[in-house]
Amino acid sequence: MTSPAEPAEPAEAPHVPYGTPDAPRIAVRGEAQLEVDPEIARIGVTVGARGKDRRAALDDLTRRNATALDLVKGYGDAVERVETGAFSITPELTKYGRGERVHAYHGRVHITAELTDFTALGELTTRLADLELTSVDGPWWALRPASPAHRRARQQAVREAVLRAREYAEALGTTLAALIELADIGAENAQPYP
């Protein structure tokens, strides 16, 4: 508590989330686009099986999946990661007739592989596509999360944003005084480039 004889300290100006005529607030977006070589290629492999008997369809699917996985893993260091994804075996009912009569069973399993050797990529996709009831999707090109290209793009985007903010401030007859907020909207949801 202060006595009436003591002068009070000057209060700091409150932070205002919007601009004022004396202190305009400028919000800009900085963007950067770099062309860099990809570091990873992802492919999707779908292996299928079909049969009148559920057990036979499942056995065929298991055998074909193992063949595809062995082929992918046979490329050694060229393959950085292999994941087996969704698996399904579904009955196909007859179109006509009474009751739930099963005409056939369809099985599918999905595999995702990440490759770093793009020379092996072409050969592997061709060999996988030659397998019975197997389809290949991709490749989808990507950078590793820790790639230096991400850092360069962020830095370039910030420089672009600051330059734009200075140009807007100059057009308003003022100067850029301080950075209040920096947001990286959407960066965490970046998608691989097809």
Short mmCIF file of all heavy atoms in Angstrom, two decimals, residues 19 69 73 120 146 162 186:
data_model
loop_
_atom_site.label_atom_id
_atom_site.label_comp_id
_atom_site.label_asym_id
_atom_site.label_seq_id
_atom_site.Cartn_x
_atom_site.Cartn_y
_atom_site.Cartn_z
N GLY A 19 -5.68 -3.68 -32.96
CA GLY A 19 -4.95 -2.46 -33.21
C GLY A 19 -5.70 -1.22 -32.77
O GLY A 19 -6.91 -1.24 -32.58
N LEU A 69 5.22 -60.09 -48.20
CA LEU A 69 6.10 -59.58 -47.13
C LEU A 69 7.54 -60.06 -47.33
O LEU A 69 8.48 -59.28 -47.14
CB LEU A 69 5.59 -60.02 -45.76
CG LEU A 69 4.38 -59.26 -45.22
CD1 LEU A 69 3.85 -59.92 -43.95
CD2 LEU A 69 4.73 -57.80 -44.95
N LYS A 73 10.68 -57.56 -47.73
CA LYS A 73 11.80 -57.66 -46.79
C LYS A 73 13.08 -58.12 -47.46
O LYS A 73 14.18 -57.86 -46.96
CB LYS A 73 11.43 -58.59 -45.64
CG LYS A 73 10.36 -58.01 -44.73
CD LYS A 73 9.94 -59.00 -43.67
CE LYS A 73 8.84 -58.42 -42.80
NZ LYS A 73 8.33 -59.40 -41.83
N ALA A 120 15.57 -49.36 -56.25
CA ALA A 120 14.90 -50.61 -55.90
C ALA A 120 13.38 -50.45 -55.96
O ALA A 120 12.67 -51.44 -56.15
CB ALA A 120 15.32 -51.05 -54.50
N ALA A 146 12.47 -35.02 -39.48
CA ALA A 146 13.63 -34.23 -39.05
C ALA A 146 14.45 -33.69 -40.23
O ALA A 146 15.58 -33.25 -40.04
CB ALA A 146 14.53 -35.07 -38.14
N VAL A 162 7.72 -11.43 -42.19
CA VAL A 162 8.27 -10.18 -41.64
C VAL A 162 8.38 -9.13 -42.74
O VAL A 162 8.05 -7.96 -42.53
CB VAL A 162 9.63 -10.44 -40.96
CG1 VAL A 162 10.33 -9.13 -40.61
CG2 VAL A 162 9.45 -11.29 -39.71
N GLY A 186 -1.53 -25.62 -39.28
CA GLY A 186 -1.59 -26.67 -40.28
C GLY A 186 -0.30 -27.44 -40.48
O GLY A 186 -0.27 -28.42 -41.20
#
